[in-house]
Amino acid sequence: MSWARLDALAGRASDRLFGERVRIEPQAAGRVVIGGPDPDRPAFEIRATLDVTEHAEHARGEGSRNGSRQEVNVQETALLIEAGSILAPNALPKTGDRVVALDRLGAPVFKIATPAEQNGGRFLFMMVPLPVV
């Protein structure tokens, strides 16, 4: 069995165990477009792994006068999508698209901040949370 086949099987197994339903809402972007849903790319639901990690990070700079270092809470949010789950060539999410975590309390919304990065047989996106309106 090939490495690619094993990687795809492992990715699907991981999505079954750790994945959750998310809705990808493509957003229009361009020089003359203000924003909003992209009419050429419909929204769709997919099962993917959403990893939200919170940690403390030291603030950059010299610190305070008493020598202590300031810490800030940082949230890093990653979305991993199995490559085989993307059926249409234009369905791969892009920077600026919204991701709704359907299985989480309150269905939080995130915005894709980085373009797709290949991570084995998966696509990796870093995201930022959007405020609740």
Side-chain angles (χ1 to χ4, degrees), residues 34-107:
I34 294 174
D38 186 342
D40 297 329
R41 298 185 299 140
F44 62 95
E45 284 187 25
I46 193 168
R47 190 161 184 84
T49 303
L50 182 61
D51 179 24
V52 179
T53 304
E54 294 186 18
H55 59 87
E57 192 167 291
H58 295 290
R60 306 244 191 275
E62 295 297 319
S64 65
R65 286 180 276 184
N66 66 3
S68 66
R69 292 178 58 171
Q70 301 296 320
E71 288 188 348
V72 293
N73 288 327
V74 176
Q75 183 183 70
E76 292 179 334
T77 308
L79 180 69
L80 287 153
I81 299 176
E82 173 64 38
S85 299
I86 303 296
L87 302 176
N90 66 342
L92 188 65
K94 298 178 181 174
T95 302
D97 287 353
R98 292 182 181 197
V99 176
V100 182
L102 299 170
D103 293 336
R104 294 193 181 217
L105 183 63

Side-chain angles (χ1 to χ4, degrees), residues 19-32:
E20 57 189 273
R21 290 179 316 124
V22 297
R23 183 173 59 243
I24 308 295
E25 298 178 347
Q27 300 296 300
R31 293 183 307 158
V32 295

